Amino acid sequence: MDHRPQAWGRPRDDVYGAYDHSYLQQSGPKTATQSPVVTGTSVVAIKFKEGVVIAADNLASYGSLARFTDVKRLRTFLGTSVVGFGGDVSDMQWLDRHLKELAIDEAYDQEPTAESAEAAAKEGLNAANLYKYLQKLMYKRRNDFDPLWNQILIAGLDEDDKPFLASVDLRGTSFTSPSLATGFGAMLAQPIMRLHAATEEDAAKLTREQAVEVVKECMKVLYYRDARSLDRYSIAVVTKEGIDLKEDEQLEKQSWAFAERIKGYGTQTV
Amino acid sequence: MTSIGTGYDLGNSIFSPDGRNFQVEYAVKAVENGGTSVGIRCKEGVVLAVEKVVASKLLKPGANKRIATVDRHLGVVYSGMVPDGRHFVDRARDEARAWRDTFKSPIPTADLASRMGGYMQAYTLYQSVRPFGITAIVGGFDSELESPVDGEVGQGPSVGAGGKAQDKDYGGPFLYMIEPSGLYWGYYGAATGKGRQAAKAELEKLDLNGDGAASLTLEQAVKEAARIIYVAHDDSKDKDFELEMSWISGTNGPTKGKHQEVPKALREEAERLAKKSLQDSDDEDDDKKEDDKMEE
């Protein structure tokens, strides 16, 4: 009988062989937050003349299971910017609370010299400021080996009221572009959007209606080809006038005729 | 004062034999010297106003705000010692944030008043501290809508457990006043500071809880608040002052449920009307005097 405390409750070495203590390792890095659990898929966004259109579907997946189908992945900030979240949903919730707290703190010292509430909000953080903040936050968390498992798009206006669109991911990588998409959308939606707005100049020629149409088309293509997506989605248009956010949109005019021609999957025997 | 020389006023939390706490009463005296603050609760929202005494011509106009935002839907104004008020606001912000951390939703005005009342009261209990030299007016509009939990992703139940009961009104405008003793009540109209007597007399004339057409709209309340501050101001004695006003409406009102400073245009209009009404009542008084003389 082995009376040492280390052996208590363990299978007897003389019966089962030496116990593998590597399972019991107490030290070492924390890994709990280093993989996502409940996830959202693509976010797509494109600039146009007066603003930005951004969309994401309303699904939160648990692995391949379509677990939550009424999830709001577009969040507004100070009534002037929209943040679209891909990746881990609980990290998105944390970020949403964090940003809300930031927005409340901002309102403490708001100097309402402006004539209207909207103008007053403009004096606060704009989308470009928010982007810089989120970039620093995400990069800090990655360096702490405790990343927020998200890809984020920030849509809004910059300090000159020009359309602003930028991306930050879980590594702190950040960039701006006339059109942006996260996740599967980076492969499937980005080429479509580049057909319409390859450069800033092209984007500045797009009308609001055209931009909305392009984004809707992207959402449809993503629903066709991304198995972790949904036909219900949220879409927001950010302009100087404010945010027009719709959170329960339905994909229109779907056509699955192409599916018949796809061979080589499932139970088909060609 | 009866307290002087008795020794019962030398420390905080000492009762006198007739059941008074003199340090708290002295704190009330400090409040009575401060610029007048007014809060009006009407059906559509809450208005806060303060007579900000301008201590020096070297101060920038409009700077050094006296009305503070505590949370999106909450505002605080106070009369008395400004540093005490600043600390009160800091604490209120901490409370509002802690509530959000715990419950993932905005703190109801009643709960903030309760927490802050408790906090002020604690400063009457110990020899190591002194009571707050302020009376604070807390105004808020609790959302009448199904307010989403912070960070919430799904819809959740619309009624029942985790949802709301049907046919019940939620939220609305609230107004509380907290005194140095920690005592707080809910009010339709509250006033404190130097001009509180005159202000209260004016507030009592308003219909703040009427259902009919006579009940005050939010915009009327703003104008009344401005007028009351002007009425309560004693031109002969006091220095110059600035009028500072903020308001909170429901989601469908002008501030969309947020506590904000009253827009410049509306404030200036309210000030113009306030000055005009003062002028008119002065003229009336003069007329009366002349009439009296004629009769003689």
PDB file of all heavy atoms in Angstrom, chain A residues 183-195:
ATOM      1  N   GLY A 183     -14.228  36.382 -41.675  1.00  0.00           N
ATOM      2  CA  GLY A 183     -14.530  34.958 -41.745  1.00  0.00           C
ATOM      3  C   GLY A 183     -14.673  34.460 -43.175  1.00  0.00           C
ATOM      4  O   GLY A 183     -13.885  34.824 -44.052  1.00  0.00           O
ATOM      5  N   PHE A 184     -15.685  33.618 -43.412  1.00  0.00           N
ATOM      6  CA  PHE A 184     -15.929  33.084 -44.747  1.00  0.00           C
ATOM      7  C   PHE A 184     -16.169  34.206 -45.750  1.00  0.00           C
ATOM      8  O   PHE A 184     -15.835  34.072 -46.919  1.00  0.00           O
ATOM      9  CB  PHE A 184     -17.162  32.170 -44.695  1.00  0.00           C
ATOM     10  CG  PHE A 184     -16.874  30.775 -45.142  1.00  0.00           C
ATOM     11  CD1 PHE A 184     -15.997  29.982 -44.431  1.00  0.00           C
ATOM     12  CD2 PHE A 184     -17.484  30.262 -46.278  1.00  0.00           C
ATOM     13  CE1 PHE A 184     -15.732  28.687 -44.840  1.00  0.00           C
ATOM     14  CE2 PHE A 184     -17.214  28.964 -46.700  1.00  0.00           C
ATOM     15  CZ  PHE A 184     -16.342  28.178 -45.983  1.00  0.00           C
ATOM     16  N   GLY A 185     -16.737  35.300 -45.273  1.00  0.00           N
ATOM     17  CA  GLY A 185     -17.016  36.437 -46.152  1.00  0.00           C
ATOM     18  C   GLY A 185     -15.766  36.976 -46.810  1.00  0.00           C
ATOM     19  O   GLY A 185     -15.820  37.496 -47.925  1.00  0.00           O
ATOM     20  N   ALA A 186     -14.605  36.851 -46.145  1.00  0.00           N
ATOM     21  CA  ALA A 186     -13.352  37.338 -46.717  1.00  0.00           C
ATOM     22  C   ALA A 186     -13.052  36.594 -48.015  1.00  0.00           C
ATOM     23  O   ALA A 186     -12.445  37.148 -48.928  1.00  0.00           O
ATOM     24  CB  ALA A 186     -12.217  37.157 -45.718  1.00  0.00           C
ATOM     25  N   MET A 187     -13.465  35.324 -48.091  1.00  0.00           N
ATOM     26  CA  MET A 187     -13.275  34.551 -49.312  1.00  0.00           C
ATOM     27  C   MET A 187     -14.422  34.738 -50.300  1.00  0.00           C
ATOM     28  O   MET A 187     -14.209  34.847 -51.495  1.00  0.00           O
ATOM     29  CB  MET A 187     -13.155  33.047 -48.967  1.00  0.00           C
ATOM     30  CG  MET A 187     -11.772  32.596 -48.590  1.00  0.00           C
ATOM     31  SD  MET A 187     -11.331  33.072 -46.925  1.00  0.00           S
ATOM     32  CE  MET A 187     -11.888  31.672 -45.993  1.00  0.00           C
ATOM     33  N   LEU A 188     -15.652  34.744 -49.808  1.00  0.00           N
ATOM     34  CA  LEU A 188     -16.817  34.678 -50.702  1.00  0.00           C
ATOM     35  C   LEU A 188     -17.434  36.035 -51.022  1.00  0.00           C
ATOM     36  O   LEU A 188     -17.914  36.256 -52.126  1.00  0.00           O
ATOM     37  CB  LEU A 188     -17.888  33.778 -50.072  1.00  0.00           C
ATOM     38  CG  LEU A 188     -17.467  32.327 -49.897  1.00  0.00           C
ATOM     39  CD1 LEU A 188     -18.513  31.575 -49.090  1.00  0.00           C
ATOM     40  CD2 LEU A 188     -17.272  31.659 -51.234  1.00  0.00           C
ATOM     41  N   ALA A 189     -17.449  36.947 -50.065  1.00  0.00           N
ATOM     42  CA  ALA A 189     -18.131  38.230 -50.274  1.00  0.00           C
ATOM     43  C   ALA A 189     -17.172  39.308 -50.764  1.00  0.00           C
ATOM     44  O   ALA A 189     -17.539  40.156 -51.566  1.00  0.00           O
ATOM     45  CB  ALA A 189     -18.804  38.673 -48.983  1.00  0.00           C
ATOM     46  N   GLN A 190     -15.952  39.258 -50.284  1.00  0.00           N
ATOM     47  CA  GLN A 190     -14.991  40.311 -50.625  1.00  0.00           C
ATOM     48  C   GLN A 190     -14.824  40.487 -52.144  1.00  0.00           C
ATOM     49  O   GLN A 190     -14.866  41.616 -52.636  1.00  0.00           O
ATOM     50  CB  GLN A 190     -13.642  39.985 -49.945  1.00  0.00           C
ATOM     51  CG  GLN A 190     -12.620  41.087 -49.948  1.00  0.00           C
ATOM     52  CD  GLN A 190     -13.043  42.331 -49.187  1.00  0.00           C
ATOM     53  OE1 GLN A 190     -13.587  43.249 -49.770  1.00  0.00           O
ATOM     54  NE2 GLN A 190     -12.827  42.333 -47.884  1.00  0.00           N
ATOM     55  N   PRO A 191     -14.668  39.383 -52.934  1.00  0.00           N
ATOM     56  CA  PRO A 191     -14.524  39.566 -54.392  1.00  0.00           C
ATOM     57  C   PRO A 191     -15.742  40.246 -55.015  1.00  0.00           C
ATOM     58  O   PRO A 191     -15.581  41.058 -55.928  1.00  0.00           O
ATOM     59  CB  PRO A 191     -14.390  38.129 -54.912  1.00  0.00           C
ATOM     60  CG  PRO A 191     -13.971  37.324 -53.750  1.00  0.00           C
ATOM     61  CD  PRO A 191     -14.573  37.969 -52.543  1.00  0.00           C
ATOM     62  N   ILE A 192     -16.933  39.921 -54.517  1.00  0.00           N
ATOM     63  CA  ILE A 192     -18.148  40.540 -55.068  1.00  0.00           C
ATOM     64  C   ILE A 192     -18.136  42.032 -54.790  1.00  0.00           C
ATOM     65  O   ILE A 192     -18.411  42.855 -55.668  1.00  0.00           O
ATOM     66  CB  ILE A 192     -19.409  39.891 -54.450  1.00  0.00           C
ATOM     67  CG1 ILE A 192     -19.447  38.403 -54.772  1.00  0.00           C
ATOM     68  CG2 ILE A 192     -20.667  40.594 -54.956  1.00  0.00           C
ATOM     69  CD1 ILE A 192     -20.531  37.647 -54.039  1.00  0.00           C
ATOM     70  N   MET A 193     -17.776  42.377 -53.553  1.00  0.00           N
ATOM     71  CA  MET A 193     -17.777  43.798 -53.192  1.00  0.00           C
ATOM     72  C   MET A 193     -16.707  44.554 -53.979  1.00  0.00           C
ATOM     73  O   MET A 193     -16.902  45.703 -54.352  1.00  0.00           O
ATOM     74  CB  MET A 193     -17.579  43.965 -51.688  1.00  0.00           C
ATOM     75  CG  MET A 193     -18.799  43.514 -50.891  1.00  0.00           C
ATOM     76  SD  MET A 193     -18.762  43.985 -49.170  1.00  0.00           S
ATOM     77  CE  MET A 193     -17.544  42.876 -48.528  1.00  0.00           C
ATOM     78  N   ARG A 194     -15.584  43.880 -54.250  1.00  0.00           N
ATOM     79  CA  ARG A 194     -14.511  44.562 -55.000  1.00  0.00           C
ATOM     80  C   ARG A 194     -14.913  44.837 -56.438  1.00  0.00           C
ATOM     81  O   ARG A 194     -14.374  45.755 -57.070  1.00  0.00           O
ATOM     82  CB  ARG A 194     -13.223  43.732 -54.946  1.00  0.00           C
ATOM     83  CG  ARG A 194     -12.535  43.908 -53.615  1.00  0.00           C
ATOM     84  CD  ARG A 194     -11.107  43.440 -53.631  1.00  0.00           C
ATOM     85  NE  ARG A 194     -10.573  43.539 -52.270  1.00  0.00           N
ATOM     86  CZ  ARG A 194      -9.813  42.629 -51.696  1.00  0.00           C
ATOM     87  NH1 ARG A 194      -9.472  41.525 -52.358  1.00  0.00           N
ATOM     88  NH2 ARG A 194      -9.382  42.798 -50.467  1.00  0.00           N
ATOM     89  N   LEU A 195     -15.862  44.058 -56.964  1.00  0.00           N
ATOM     90  CA  LEU A 195     -16.366  44.354 -58.302  1.00  0.00           C
ATOM     91  C   LEU A 195     -16.992  45.741 -58.327  1.00  0.00           C
ATOM     92  O   LEU A 195     -16.937  46.444 -59.329  1.00  0.00           O
ATOM     93  CB  LEU A 195     -17.430  43.331 -58.705  1.00  0.00           C
ATOM     94  CG  LEU A 195     -16.962  41.913 -59.032  1.00  0.00           C
ATOM     95  CD1 LEU A 195     -18.152  41.038 -59.357  1.00  0.00           C
ATOM     96  CD2 LEU A 195     -15.984  41.926 -60.211  1.00  0.00           C
TER      97      LEU A 195
END
